[in-house]
Amino acid sequence: MPVSFPLIVRFRPERRADFLKLRRSFDAEDRGLFRDVNRGTQDGEATVDYTARSPRALNLLLLLIFEVDDGQEMVRTLDLAEHYTGDARHGAKERALRILDALGRTPDSLRKSVRIKARAQAASFDDYLLDLLESEVVAPDPVQLSFPWT
């Protein structure tokens, strides 16, 4: 099914501090694209929505998540809001493929990646999928994007 934008994606940070660090990486206008669905009272209970205006915005979200020290839980639970379960283990392949589809990537592009072939012996399938997703994220052109630190 074709993905249309704006697109709401949902994820669960391991700690609230991880989400706050991520949100601070965005400029003031784009911080409003985040919404606490469930703040949670303990670490690992929060759920966050992000409204991506375009595949490029979703790509930027992923790049900035990868900059967060403990951002792996956000990546592992990231899914389209309507498919979100919060489970980082089950359905990892389907989640990764939905996000890659939203980014305009295909499974064929995954098979062509040298890095992915090197990770085929990964210790866990979740780590492998995390690497699949990370290897497919393309660094944005900083000239065309507004970063809070530039």
Side-chain angles (χ1 to χ4, degrees):
M1 181 164 85
V3 176
S4 61
F5 287 85
L7 177 70
I8 299 174
V9 295
R10 189 170 288 166
F11 58 89
R12 179 174 46 82
E14 188 171 344
R15 297 177 305 132
R16 180 146 180 84
D18 299 335
F19 162 62
L20 295 175
K21 182 178 180 181
L22 170 67
R23 195 173 74 179
R24 281 192 304 271
S25 299
F26 284 79
D27 63 31
E29 180 183 334
D30 288 341
R31 286 182 195 149
L33 299 173
F34 288 97
R35 184 173 69 90
D36 273 332
V37 176
N38 172 22
R39 289 188 77 145
T41 56
Q42 297 179 3
D43 284 345
E45 291 183 350
T47 304
V48 177
D49 277 359
Y50 172 74
T51 303
R53 296 178 184 155
S54 67
R56 191 176 187 90
L58 180 57
N59 194 65
L60 178 61
L61 172 70
L62 285 164
L63 285 168
L64 294 174
I65 286 175
F66 292 134
E67 294 295 316
V68 176
D69 290 335
D70 289 326
Q72 70 274 2
E73 195 69 13
M74 290 186 274
V75 174
R76 288 185 176 134
T77 59
L78 181 69
D79 204 348
L80 307 182
E82 64 266 20
H83 294 281
Y84 178 81
T85 65
D87 186 344
R89 306 237 180 267
H90 300 95
K93 180 178 181 180
E94 292 80 9
R95 280 193 306 280
L97 291 174
R98 281 191 290 270
I99 295 300
L100 289 170
D101 183 47
L103 289 169
R105 305 296 196 279
T106 65
D108 287 339
S109 70
L110 296 178
R111 289 188 198 95
K112 294 175 185 174
S113 169
V114 174
R115 182 165 181 232
I116 290 168
K117 290 176 186 174
R119 286 291 290 163
Q121 301 300 317
S124 82
F125 192 62
D126 284 341
D127 289 340
Y128 177 59
L129 285 171
L130 181 62
D131 279 351
L132 289 180
L133 193 52
E134 185 177 10
S135 69
E136 287 297 309
V137 175
V138 178
D141 180 358
V143 173
Q144 296 180 10
L145 292 174
S146 171
F147 291 98
W149 55 85
T150 58

mmCIF file with all atom_site columns, all heavy atoms in Angstrom, residues 59-81:
data_model
loop_
_atom_site.group_PDB
_atom_site.id
_atom_site.type_symbol
_atom_site.label_atom_id
_atom_site.label_alt_id
_atom_site.label_comp_id
_atom_site.label_asym_id
_atom_site.label_entity_id
_atom_site.label_seq_id
_atom_site.pdbx_PDB_ins_code
_atom_site.Cartn_x
_atom_site.Cartn_y
_atom_site.Cartn_z
_atom_site.occupancy
_atom_site.B_iso_or_equiv
_atom_site.pdbx_formal_charge
_atom_site.auth_seq_id
_atom_site.auth_comp_id
_atom_site.auth_asym_id
_atom_site.auth_atom_id
_atom_site.pdbx_PDB_model_num
ATOM 1   N N   . ASN A 1 59 ? 13.651 10.494 7.246  1.00 0.00 ? 59 ASN A N   1
ATOM 2   C CA  . ASN A 1 59 ? 15.067 10.177 7.162  1.00 0.00 ? 59 ASN A CA  1
ATOM 3   C C   . ASN A 1 59 ? 15.858 10.971 8.220  1.00 0.00 ? 59 ASN A C   1
ATOM 4   O O   . ASN A 1 59 ? 16.711 10.429 8.921  1.00 0.00 ? 59 ASN A O   1
ATOM 5   C CB  . ASN A 1 59 ? 15.573 10.496 5.759  1.00 0.00 ? 59 ASN A CB  1
ATOM 6   C CG  . ASN A 1 59 ? 16.915 9.902  5.463  1.00 0.00 ? 59 ASN A CG  1
ATOM 7   O OD1 . ASN A 1 59 ? 17.042 8.690  5.421  1.00 0.00 ? 59 ASN A OD1 1
ATOM 8   N ND2 . ASN A 1 59 ? 17.902 10.744 5.278  1.00 0.00 ? 59 ASN A ND2 1
ATOM 9   N N   . LEU A 1 60 ? 15.533 12.258 8.360  1.00 0.00 ? 60 LEU A N   1
ATOM 10  C CA  . LEU A 1 60 ? 16.206 13.094 9.355  1.00 0.00 ? 60 LEU A CA  1
ATOM 11  C C   . LEU A 1 60 ? 15.923 12.584 10.762 1.00 0.00 ? 60 LEU A C   1
ATOM 12  O O   . LEU A 1 60 ? 16.830 12.530 11.601 1.00 0.00 ? 60 LEU A O   1
ATOM 13  C CB  . LEU A 1 60 ? 15.764 14.553 9.208  1.00 0.00 ? 60 LEU A CB  1
ATOM 14  C CG  . LEU A 1 60 ? 16.357 15.520 10.232 1.00 0.00 ? 60 LEU A CG  1
ATOM 15  C CD1 . LEU A 1 60 ? 17.886 15.559 10.141 1.00 0.00 ? 60 LEU A CD1 1
ATOM 16  C CD2 . LEU A 1 60 ? 15.766 16.912 10.043 1.00 0.00 ? 60 LEU A CD2 1
ATOM 17  N N   . LEU A 1 61 ? 14.674 12.202 11.024 1.00 0.00 ? 61 LEU A N   1
ATOM 18  C CA  . LEU A 1 61 ? 14.341 11.636 12.337 1.00 0.00 ? 61 LEU A CA  1
ATOM 19  C C   . LEU A 1 61 ? 15.247 10.447 12.647 1.00 0.00 ? 61 LEU A C   1
ATOM 20  O O   . LEU A 1 61 ? 15.826 10.357 13.732 1.00 0.00 ? 61 LEU A O   1
ATOM 21  C CB  . LEU A 1 61 ? 12.874 11.201 12.383 1.00 0.00 ? 61 LEU A CB  1
ATOM 22  C CG  . LEU A 1 61 ? 12.459 10.419 13.632 1.00 0.00 ? 61 LEU A CG  1
ATOM 23  C CD1 . LEU A 1 61 ? 12.434 11.333 14.860 1.00 0.00 ? 61 LEU A CD1 1
ATOM 24  C CD2 . LEU A 1 61 ? 11.117 9.752  13.422 1.00 0.00 ? 61 LEU A CD2 1
ATOM 25  N N   . LEU A 1 62 ? 15.387 9.547  11.697 1.00 0.00 ? 62 LEU A N   1
ATOM 26  C CA  . LEU A 1 62 ? 16.230 8.370  11.914 1.00 0.00 ? 62 LEU A CA  1
ATOM 27  C C   . LEU A 1 62 ? 17.687 8.750  12.140 1.00 0.00 ? 62 LEU A C   1
ATOM 28  O O   . LEU A 1 62 ? 18.343 8.227  13.038 1.00 0.00 ? 62 LEU A O   1
ATOM 29  C CB  . LEU A 1 62 ? 16.108 7.413  10.736 1.00 0.00 ? 62 LEU A CB  1
ATOM 30  C CG  . LEU A 1 62 ? 14.812 6.629  10.712 1.00 0.00 ? 62 LEU A CG  1
ATOM 31  C CD1 . LEU A 1 62 ? 14.588 6.009  9.352  1.00 0.00 ? 62 LEU A CD1 1
ATOM 32  C CD2 . LEU A 1 62 ? 14.817 5.576  11.790 1.00 0.00 ? 62 LEU A CD2 1
ATOM 33  N N   . LEU A 1 63 ? 18.184 9.665  11.327 1.00 0.00 ? 63 LEU A N   1
ATOM 34  C CA  . LEU A 1 63 ? 19.573 10.097 11.505 1.00 0.00 ? 63 LEU A CA  1
ATOM 35  C C   . LEU A 1 63 ? 19.801 10.656 12.904 1.00 0.00 ? 63 LEU A C   1
ATOM 36  O O   . LEU A 1 63 ? 20.806 10.357 13.548 1.00 0.00 ? 63 LEU A O   1
ATOM 37  C CB  . LEU A 1 63 ? 19.938 11.156 10.465 1.00 0.00 ? 63 LEU A CB  1
ATOM 38  C CG  . LEU A 1 63 ? 20.178 10.650 9.060  1.00 0.00 ? 63 LEU A CG  1
ATOM 39  C CD1 . LEU A 1 63 ? 20.234 11.816 8.081  1.00 0.00 ? 63 LEU A CD1 1
ATOM 40  C CD2 . LEU A 1 63 ? 21.460 9.842  9.003  1.00 0.00 ? 63 LEU A CD2 1
ATOM 41  N N   . LEU A 1 64 ? 18.860 11.452 13.379 1.00 0.00 ? 64 LEU A N   1
ATOM 42  C CA  . LEU A 1 64 ? 19.019 12.053 14.699 1.00 0.00 ? 64 LEU A CA  1
ATOM 43  C C   . LEU A 1 64 ? 18.812 11.031 15.817 1.00 0.00 ? 64 LEU A C   1
ATOM 44  O O   . LEU A 1 64 ? 19.448 11.124 16.869 1.00 0.00 ? 64 LEU A O   1
ATOM 45  C CB  . LEU A 1 64 ? 18.100 13.263 14.843 1.00 0.00 ? 64 LEU A CB  1
ATOM 46  C CG  . LEU A 1 64 ? 18.471 14.428 13.917 1.00 0.00 ? 64 LEU A CG  1
ATOM 47  C CD1 . LEU A 1 64 ? 17.443 15.548 14.008 1.00 0.00 ? 64 LEU A CD1 1
ATOM 48  C CD2 . LEU A 1 64 ? 19.871 14.949 14.209 1.00 0.00 ? 64 LEU A CD2 1
ATOM 49  N N   . ILE A 1 65 ? 17.944 10.046 15.602 1.00 0.00 ? 65 ILE A N   1
ATOM 50  C CA  . ILE A 1 65 ? 17.808 8.962  16.583 1.00 0.00 ? 65 ILE A CA  1
ATOM 51  C C   . ILE A 1 65 ? 19.129 8.220  16.718 1.00 0.00 ? 65 ILE A C   1
ATOM 52  O O   . ILE A 1 65 ? 19.555 7.881  17.822 1.00 0.00 ? 65 ILE A O   1
ATOM 53  C CB  . ILE A 1 65 ? 16.672 7.987  16.201 1.00 0.00 ? 65 ILE A CB  1
ATOM 54  C CG1 . ILE A 1 65 ? 15.309 8.616  16.468 1.00 0.00 ? 65 ILE A CG1 1
ATOM 55  C CG2 . ILE A 1 65 ? 16.801 6.675  16.982 1.00 0.00 ? 65 ILE A CG2 1
ATOM 56  C CD1 . ILE A 1 65 ? 14.125 7.771  16.002 1.00 0.00 ? 65 ILE A CD1 1
ATOM 57  N N   . PHE A 1 66 ? 19.804 7.989  15.590 1.00 0.00 ? 66 PHE A N   1
ATOM 58  C CA  . PHE A 1 66 ? 21.080 7.275  15.634 1.00 0.00 ? 66 PHE A CA  1
ATOM 59  C C   . PHE A 1 66 ? 22.147 8.067  16.381 1.00 0.00 ? 66 PHE A C   1
ATOM 60  O O   . PHE A 1 66 ? 23.143 7.500  16.815 1.00 0.00 ? 66 PHE A O   1
ATOM 61  C CB  . PHE A 1 66 ? 21.564 6.931  14.223 1.00 0.00 ? 66 PHE A CB  1
ATOM 62  C CG  . PHE A 1 66 ? 20.723 5.905  13.523 1.00 0.00 ? 66 PHE A CG  1
ATOM 63  C CD1 . PHE A 1 66 ? 20.322 6.100  12.215 1.00 0.00 ? 66 PHE A CD1 1
ATOM 64  C CD2 . PHE A 1 66 ? 20.323 4.747  14.157 1.00 0.00 ? 66 PHE A CD2 1
ATOM 65  C CE1 . PHE A 1 66 ? 19.545 5.155  11.556 1.00 0.00 ? 66 PHE A CE1 1
ATOM 66  C CE2 . PHE A 1 66 ? 19.546 3.793  13.510 1.00 0.00 ? 66 PHE A CE2 1
ATOM 67  C CZ  . PHE A 1 66 ? 19.157 3.997  12.210 1.00 0.00 ? 66 PHE A CZ  1
ATOM 68  N N   . GLU A 1 67 ? 21.942 9.368  16.541 1.00 0.00 ? 67 GLU A N   1
ATOM 69  C CA  . GLU A 1 67 ? 22.886 10.198 17.295 1.00 0.00 ? 67 GLU A CA  1
ATOM 70  C C   . GLU A 1 67 ? 22.666 10.105 18.806 1.00 0.00 ? 67 GLU A C   1
ATOM 71  O O   . GLU A 1 67 ? 23.526 10.495 19.576 1.00 0.00 ? 67 GLU A O   1
ATOM 72  C CB  . GLU A 1 67 ? 22.776 11.658 16.854 1.00 0.00 ? 67 GLU A CB  1
ATOM 73  C CG  . GLU A 1 67 ? 23.212 11.904 15.424 1.00 0.00 ? 67 GLU A CG  1
ATOM 74  C CD  . GLU A 1 67 ? 24.695 11.633 15.220 1.00 0.00 ? 67 GLU A CD  1
ATOM 75  O OE1 . GLU A 1 67 ? 25.498 12.046 16.075 1.00 0.00 ? 67 GLU A OE1 1
ATOM 76  O OE2 . GLU A 1 67 ? 25.046 10.997 14.206 1.00 0.00 ? 67 GLU A OE2 1
ATOM 77  N N   . VAL A 1 68 ? 21.511 9.607  19.214 1.00 0.00 ? 68 VAL A N   1
ATOM 78  C CA  . VAL A 1 68 ? 21.210 9.459  20.645 1.00 0.00 ? 68 VAL A CA  1
ATOM 79  C C   . VAL A 1 68 ? 21.903 8.199  21.147 1.00 0.00 ? 68 VAL A C   1
ATOM 80  O O   . VAL A 1 68 ? 21.755 7.124  20.555 1.00 0.00 ? 68 VAL A O   1
ATOM 81  C CB  . VAL A 1 68 ? 19.681 9.371  20.886 1.00 0.00 ? 68 VAL A CB  1
ATOM 82  C CG1 . VAL A 1 68 ? 19.370 9.113  22.352 1.00 0.00 ? 68 VAL A CG1 1
ATOM 83  C CG2 . VAL A 1 68 ? 18.995 10.637 20.391 1.00 0.00 ? 68 VAL A CG2 1
ATOM 84  N N   . ASP A 1 69 ? 22.654 8.329  22.231 1.00 0.00 ? 69 ASP A N   1
ATOM 85  C CA  . ASP A 1 69 ? 23.439 7.199  22.746 1.00 0.00 ? 69 ASP A CA  1
ATOM 86  C C   . ASP A 1 69 ? 22.623 5.927  22.911 1.00 0.00 ? 69 ASP A C   1
ATOM 87  O O   . ASP A 1 69 ? 23.060 4.853  22.527 1.00 0.00 ? 69 ASP A O   1
ATOM 88  C CB  . ASP A 1 69 ? 24.100 7.562  24.078 1.00 0.00 ? 69 ASP A CB  1
ATOM 89  C CG  . ASP A 1 69 ? 25.215 8.577  23.889 1.00 0.00 ? 69 ASP A CG  1
ATOM 90  O OD1 . ASP A 1 69 ? 25.786 8.640  22.784 1.00 0.00 ? 69 ASP A OD1 1
ATOM 91  O OD2 . ASP A 1 69 ? 25.504 9.311  24.848 1.00 0.00 ? 69 ASP A OD2 1
ATOM 92  N N   . ASP A 1 70 ? 21.447 6.018  23.507 1.00 0.00 ? 70 ASP A N   1
ATOM 93  C CA  . ASP A 1 70 ? 20.603 4.841  23.713 1.00 0.00 ? 70 ASP A CA  1
ATOM 94  C C   . ASP A 1 70 ? 19.397 4.858  22.782 1.00 0.00 ? 70 ASP A C   1
ATOM 95  O O   . ASP A 1 70 ? 18.299 4.445  23.159 1.00 0.00 ? 70 ASP A O   1
ATOM 96  C CB  . ASP A 1 70 ? 20.146 4.771  25.176 1.00 0.00 ? 70 ASP A CB  1
ATOM 97  C CG  . ASP A 1 70 ? 21.270 4.416  26.112 1.00 0.00 ? 70 ASP A CG  1
ATOM 98  O OD1 . ASP A 1 70 ? 22.147 3.642  25.707 1.00 0.00 ? 70 ASP A OD1 1
ATOM 99  O OD2 . ASP A 1 70 ? 21.279 4.916  27.253 1.00 0.00 ? 70 ASP A OD2 1
ATOM 100 N N   . GLY A 1 71 ? 19.592 5.305  21.554 1.00 0.00 ? 71 GLY A N   1
ATOM 101 C CA  . GLY A 1 71 ? 18.479 5.443  20.618 1.00 0.00 ? 71 GLY A CA  1
ATOM 102 C C   . GLY A 1 71 ? 18.001 4.154  19.992 1.00 0.00 ? 71 GLY A C   1
ATOM 103 O O   . GLY A 1 71 ? 16.991 4.140  19.292 1.00 0.00 ? 71 GLY A O   1
ATOM 104 N N   . GLN A 1 72 ? 18.701 3.044  20.248 1.00 0.00 ? 72 GLN A N   1
ATOM 105 C CA  . GLN A 1 72 ? 18.338 1.785  19.581 1.00 0.00 ? 72 GLN A CA  1
ATOM 106 C C   . GLN A 1 72 ? 16.909 1.344  19.909 1.00 0.00 ? 72 GLN A C   1
ATOM 107 O O   . GLN A 1 72 ? 16.234 0.775  19.059 1.00 0.00 ? 72 GLN A O   1
ATOM 108 C CB  . GLN A 1 72 ? 19.335 0.660  19.902 1.00 0.00 ? 72 GLN A CB  1
ATOM 109 C CG  . GLN A 1 72 ? 19.310 0.143  21.308 1.00 0.00 ? 72 GLN A CG  1
ATOM 110 C CD  . GLN A 1 72 ? 20.177 0.952  22.278 1.00 0.00 ? 72 GLN A CD  1
ATOM 111 O OE1 . GLN A 1 72 ? 20.779 1.950  21.889 1.00 0.00 ? 72 GLN A OE1 1
ATOM 112 N NE2 . GLN A 1 72 ? 20.234 0.527  23.515 1.00 0.00 ? 72 GLN A NE2 1
ATOM 113 N N   . GLU A 1 73 ? 16.417 1.624  21.099 1.00 0.00 ? 73 GLU A N   1
ATOM 114 C CA  . GLU A 1 73 ? 15.045 1.225  21.434 1.00 0.00 ? 73 GLU A CA  1
ATOM 115 C C   . GLU A 1 73 ? 14.028 2.018  20.613 1.00 0.00 ? 73 GLU A C   1
ATOM 116 O O   . GLU A 1 73 ? 12.993 1.500  20.215 1.00 0.00 ? 73 GLU A O   1
ATOM 117 C CB  . GLU A 1 73 ? 14.787 1.394  22.931 1.00 0.00 ? 73 GLU A CB  1
ATOM 118 C CG  . GLU A 1 73 ? 13.551 0.695  23.413 1.00 0.00 ? 73 GLU A CG  1
ATOM 119 C CD  . GLU A 1 73 ? 13.659 -0.830 23.375 1.00 0.00 ? 73 GLU A CD  1
ATOM 120 O OE1 . GLU A 1 73 ? 14.755 -1.388 23.201 1.00 0.00 ? 73 GLU A OE1 1
ATOM 121 O OE2 . GLU A 1 73 ? 12.601 -1.475 23.526 1.00 0.00 ? 73 GLU A OE2 1
ATOM 122 N N   . MET A 1 74 ? 14.334 3.272  20.347 1.00 0.00 ? 74 MET A N   1
ATOM 123 C CA  . MET A 1 74 ? 13.443 4.080  19.503 1.00 0.00 ? 74 MET A CA  1
ATOM 124 C C   . MET A 1 74 ? 13.399 3.506  18.092 1.00 0.00 ? 74 MET A C   1
ATOM 125 O O   . MET A 1 74 ? 12.327 3.427  17.486 1.00 0.00 ? 74 MET A O   1
ATOM 126 C CB  . MET A 1 74 ? 13.894 5.540  19.492 1.00 0.00 ? 74 MET A CB  1
ATOM 127 C CG  . MET A 1 74 ? 13.673 6.245  20.818 1.00 0.00 ? 74 MET A CG  1
ATOM 128 S SD  . MET A 1 74 ? 14.050 8.018  20.777 1.00 0.00 ? 74 MET A SD  1
ATOM 129 C CE  . MET A 1 74 ? 15.812 8.001  21.113 1.00 0.00 ? 74 MET A CE  1
ATOM 130 N N   . VAL A 1 75 ? 14.550 3.100  17.561 1.00 0.00 ? 75 VAL A N   1
ATOM 131 C CA  . VAL A 1 75 ? 14.588 2.513  16.219 1.00 0.00 ? 75 VAL A CA  1
ATOM 132 C C   . VAL A 1 75 ? 13.883 1.170  16.205 1.00 0.00 ? 75 VAL A C   1
ATOM 133 O O   . VAL A 1 75 ? 13.099 0.876  15.301 1.00 0.00 ? 75 VAL A O   1
ATOM 134 C CB  . VAL A 1 75 ? 16.037 2.360  15.709 1.00 0.00 ? 75 VAL A CB  1
ATOM 135 C CG1 . VAL A 1 75 ? 16.073 1.608  14.388 1.00 0.00 ? 75 VAL A CG1 1
ATOM 136 C CG2 . VAL A 1 75 ? 16.691 3.712  15.560 1.00 0.00 ? 75 VAL A CG2 1
ATOM 137 N N   . ARG A 1 76 ? 14.123 0.354  17.201 1.00 0.00 ? 76 ARG A N   1
ATOM 138 C CA  . ARG A 1 76 ? 13.546 -0.999 17.221 1.00 0.00 ? 76 ARG A CA  1
ATOM 139 C C   . ARG A 1 76 ? 12.032 -1.001 17.375 1.00 0.00 ? 76 ARG A C   1
ATOM 140 O O   . ARG A 1 76 ? 11.383 -1.969 16.993 1.00 0.00 ? 76 ARG A O   1
ATOM 141 C CB  . ARG A 1 76 ? 14.194 -1.817 18.334 1.00 0.00 ? 76 ARG A CB  1
ATOM 142 C CG  . ARG A 1 76 ? 15.613 -2.194 18.014 1.00 0.00 ? 76 ARG A CG  1
ATOM 143 C CD  . ARG A 1 76 ? 16.189 -3.094 19.075 1.00 0.00 ? 76 ARG A CD  1
ATOM 144 N NE  . ARG A 1 76 ? 17.509 -3.512 18.677 1.00 0.00 ? 76 ARG A NE  1
ATOM 145 C CZ  . ARG A 1 76 ? 18.560 -3.512 19.479 1.00 0.00 ? 76 ARG A CZ  1
ATOM 146 N NH1 . ARG A 1 76 ? 18.443 -3.132 20.721 1.00 0.00 ? 76 ARG A NH1 1
ATOM 147 N NH2 . ARG A 1 76 ? 19.732 -3.908 19.030 1.00 0.00 ? 76 ARG A NH2 1
ATOM 148 N N   . THR A 1 77 ? 11.466 0.053  17.955 1.00 0.00 ? 77 THR A N   1
ATOM 149 C CA  . THR A 1 77 ? 10.014 0.109  18.122 1.00 0.00 ? 77 THR A CA  1
ATOM 150 C C   . THR A 1 77 ? 9.347  1.024  17.098 1.00 0.00 ? 77 THR A C   1
ATOM 151 O O   . THR A 1 77 ? 8.123  1.057  17.013 1.00 0.00 ? 77 THR A O   1
ATOM 152 C CB  . THR A 1 77 ? 9.638  0.581  19.543 1.00 0.00 ? 77 THR A CB  1
ATOM 153 O OG1 . THR A 1 77 ? 10.201 1.882  19.778 1.00 0.00 ? 77 THR A OG1 1
ATOM 154 C CG2 . THR A 1 77 ? 10.116 -0.409 20.590 1.00 0.00 ? 77 THR A CG2 1
ATOM 155 N N   . LEU A 1 78 ? 10.136 1.763  16.314 1.00 0.00 ? 78 LEU A N   1
ATOM 156 C CA  . LEU A 1 78 ? 9.589  2.696  15.338 1.00 0.00 ? 78 LEU A CA  1
ATOM 157 C C   . LEU A 1 78 ? 8.705  1.970  14.324 1.00 0.00 ? 78 LEU A C   1
ATOM 158 O O   . LEU A 1 78 ? 9.094  0.964  13.744 1.00 0.00 ? 78 LEU A O   1
ATOM 159 C CB  . LEU A 1 78 ? 10.732 3.399  14.595 1.00 0.00 ? 78 LEU A CB  1
ATOM 160 C CG  . LEU A 1 78 ? 10.322 4.429  13.562 1.00 0.00 ? 78 LEU A CG  1
ATOM 161 C CD1 . LEU A 1 78 ? 9.712  5.657  14.237 1.00 0.00 ? 78 LEU A CD1 1
ATOM 162 C CD2 . LEU A 1 78 ? 11.525 4.835  12.722 1.00 0.00 ? 78 LEU A CD2 1
ATOM 163 N N   . ASP A 1 79 ? 7.506  2.503  14.143 1.00 0.00 ? 79 ASP A N   1
ATOM 164 C CA  . ASP A 1 79 ? 6.573  1.928  13.179 1.00 0.00 ? 79 ASP A CA  1
ATOM 165 C C   . ASP A 1 79 ? 5.569  2.995  12.779 1.00 0.00 ? 79 ASP A C   1
ATOM 166 O O   . ASP A 1 79 ? 5.464  4.050  13.433 1.00 0.00 ? 79 ASP A O   1
ATOM 167 C CB  . ASP A 1 79 ? 5.839  0.730  13.787 1.00 0.00 ? 79 ASP A CB  1
ATOM 168 C CG  . ASP A 1 79 ? 5.309  -0.251 12.742 1.00 0.00 ? 79 ASP A CG  1
ATOM 169 O OD1 . ASP A 1 79 ? 5.301  0.079  11.534 1.00 0.00 ? 79 ASP A OD1 1
ATOM 170 O OD2 . ASP A 1 79 ? 4.916  -1.357 13.133 1.00 0.00 ? 79 ASP A OD2 1
ATOM 171 N N   . LEU A 1 80 ? 4.829  2.732  11.718 1.00 0.00 ? 80 LEU A N   1
ATOM 172 C CA  . LEU A 1 80 ? 3.712  3.593  11.368 1.00 0.00 ? 80 LEU A CA  1
ATOM 173 C C   . LEU A 1 80 ? 2.735  3.543  12.536 1.00 0.00 ? 80 LEU A C   1
ATOM 174 O O   . LEU A 1 80 ? 2.519  2.470  13.124 1.00 0.00 ? 80 LEU A O   1
ATOM 175 C CB  . LEU A 1 80 ? 3.049  3.117  10.084 1.00 0.00 ? 80 LEU A CB  1
ATOM 176 C CG  . LEU A 1 80 ? 3.953  2.922  8.868  1.00 0.00 ? 80 LEU A CG  1
ATOM 177 C CD1 . LEU A 1 80 ? 3.123  2.504  7.661  1.00 0.00 ? 80 LEU A CD1 1
ATOM 178 C CD2 . LEU A 1 80 ? 4.777  4.152  8.570  1.00 0.00 ? 80 LEU A CD2 1
ATOM 179 N N   . ALA A 1 81 ? 2.149  4.664  12.902 1.00 0.00 ? 81 ALA A N   1
ATOM 180 C CA  . ALA A 1 81 ? 1.310  4.735  14.092 1.00 0.00 ? 81 ALA A CA  1
ATOM 181 C C   . ALA A 1 81 ? 0.207  3.678  14.088 1.00 0.00 ? 81 ALA A C   1
ATOM 182 O O   . ALA A 1 81 ? -0.074 3.065  15.117 1.00 0.00 ? 81 ALA A O   1
ATOM 183 C CB  . ALA A 1 81 ? 0.720  6.134  14.248 1.00 0.00 ? 81 ALA A CB  1
#
